[in-house]
Amino acid sequence: GIQVEQSPPDLILQEGANSTLRCNFSDSVNNLQWFHQNPWGQLINLFYIPSGTKQNGRLSATTVATERYSLLYISSSQTTDSGVYFCAVAGKDNFNKFYFGSGTKLNVKP
Amino acid sequence: GAVVSQHPSWVICKSGTSVKIECRSLDFQATTMFWYRQFPKQSLMLMATSNEGSKATYEQGVEKDKFLINHASLTLSTLTVTSAHPEDSSFYICSARDPGRGNTIYFGEGSWLTVV
């Protein structure tokens, strides 16, 4: 399967700070999504972004497919942003079958 | 609102018993659903692909006789953990693709299983 590496593994921010999370993947992908897992375990879909750039409020994401990485930007962080952020990719052979990174655990302090 | 729903959200069962978890696509038909497992503080690992009307495809290392998957309709897949043991305690989560919403995958809310 596709190897997915996320960095940093842990991140502590002061409320209001900005951050960038990175996702590297080992092969060409047809599907890439960013998720936020809340303390109850629920996965919230943030972006479907196999390529290009998207923005949604304080969050934005960029995927450079040719260089096999994606970035998730969080601006003006809030305590409610805390949780684990996962990057998941699916290869060209089966774009439904996700491989997850190990996640970035974000803790935003007031 | 949720487009993929799991039930139950929490379940506690005794060792040796079986427990069933349901995954439903609420407003679309899903020919394929996926089951994942997540151990505490770890990432999600794909267990199997559930195919409507046919046998599930299991990932390497997953016991198909222990984790029974049935996809009897286009909106429902079930995962049955048979003869559960404490090491089966985990967070189980399913996903499905909605053809009407492009290639976006939606995940269920997950099910916490504790075997005592």
Side-chain angles (χ1 to χ4, degrees), chain A residues 7-106:
Chain A
S7 60
D10 294 280
L11 184 59
I12 300 174
L13 296 177
Q14 205 64 38
E15 196 169 28
N18 303 327
S19 64
T20 301
L21 282 57
R22 187 177 180 100
C23 171
N24 293 331
F25 43 95
S26 63
D27 203 350
S28 300
V29 299
N30 260 354
N31 193 346
L32 186 149
Q33 292 184 222
W34 282 96
F35 297 92
H36 177 217
Q37 188 170 40
N38 65 23
W40 298 271
Q42 186 178 7
L43 280 172
I44 309 298
N45 179 57
L46 299 177
F47 292 103
Y48 163 68
I49 186 163
S51 63
T53 297
K54 290 185 178 180
Q55 181 156 6
N56 184 3
R58 297 181 295 103
L59 302 181
S60 64
T62 295
T63 297
V64 183
T66 54
E67 298 186 23
R68 299 181 183 173
Y69 73 88
S70 182
L71 302 173
L72 178 68
Y73 305 96
I74 303 174
S75 63
S76 304
S77 58
Q78 300 176 358
T79 57
T80 52
D81 295 332
S82 296
V84 183
Y85 290 81
F86 287 105
C87 166
V89 304
K92 294 184 179 298
D93 58 342
N94 187 341
F95 61 83
N96 297 323
K97 186 174 176 178
F98 274 108
Y99 297 92
F100 278 78
S102 53
T104 291
K105 185 176 182 181
L106 174 64

Side-chain angles (χ1 to χ4, degrees), chain B:
Chain B
V3 296
V4 176
S5 178
Q6 278 184 244
H7 178 82
S9 300
W10 300 82
V11 58
I12 300 175
C13 71
K14 291 185 177 181
S15 289
T17 63
S18 297
V19 60
K20 180 185 290 186
I21 301 170
E22 296 183 345
C23 177
R24 294 183 183 272
S25 54
L26 299 182
D27 61 355
F28 65 95
Q29 294 183 332
T31 56
T32 305
M33 292 182 176
F34 297 85
W35 287 97
Y36 295 81
R37 182 175 182 178
Q38 185 180 29
F39 290 102
K41 299 184 180 181
Q42 294 188 26
S43 189
L44 282 76
M45 299 297 293
L46 179 65
M47 297 175 66
T49 302
S50 173
N51 305 299
E52 189 270 334
S54 65
K55 291 182 178 180
T57 304
Y58 290 82
E59 295 298 301
Q60 190 172 7
V62 178
E63 299 176 62
K64 59 181 67 176
D65 294 330
K66 181 165 191 61
F67 299 100
L68 300 180
I69 292 173
N70 183 274
H71 195 149
S73 77
L74 287 170
T75 60
L76 173 65
S77 175
T78 60
L79 169 67
T80 301
V81 183
T82 63
S83 186
H85 292 283
E87 56 264 32
D88 298 325
S89 299
S90 188
F91 184 61
Y92 294 89
I93 190 165
C94 70
S95 70
R97 179 177 69 91
D98 179 4
R101 295 185 175 96
N103 291 326
T104 302
I105 300 287
Y106 291 94
F107 282 79
E109 306 95 330
S111 300
W112 291 98
L113 170 64
T114 300
V115 184
V116 297

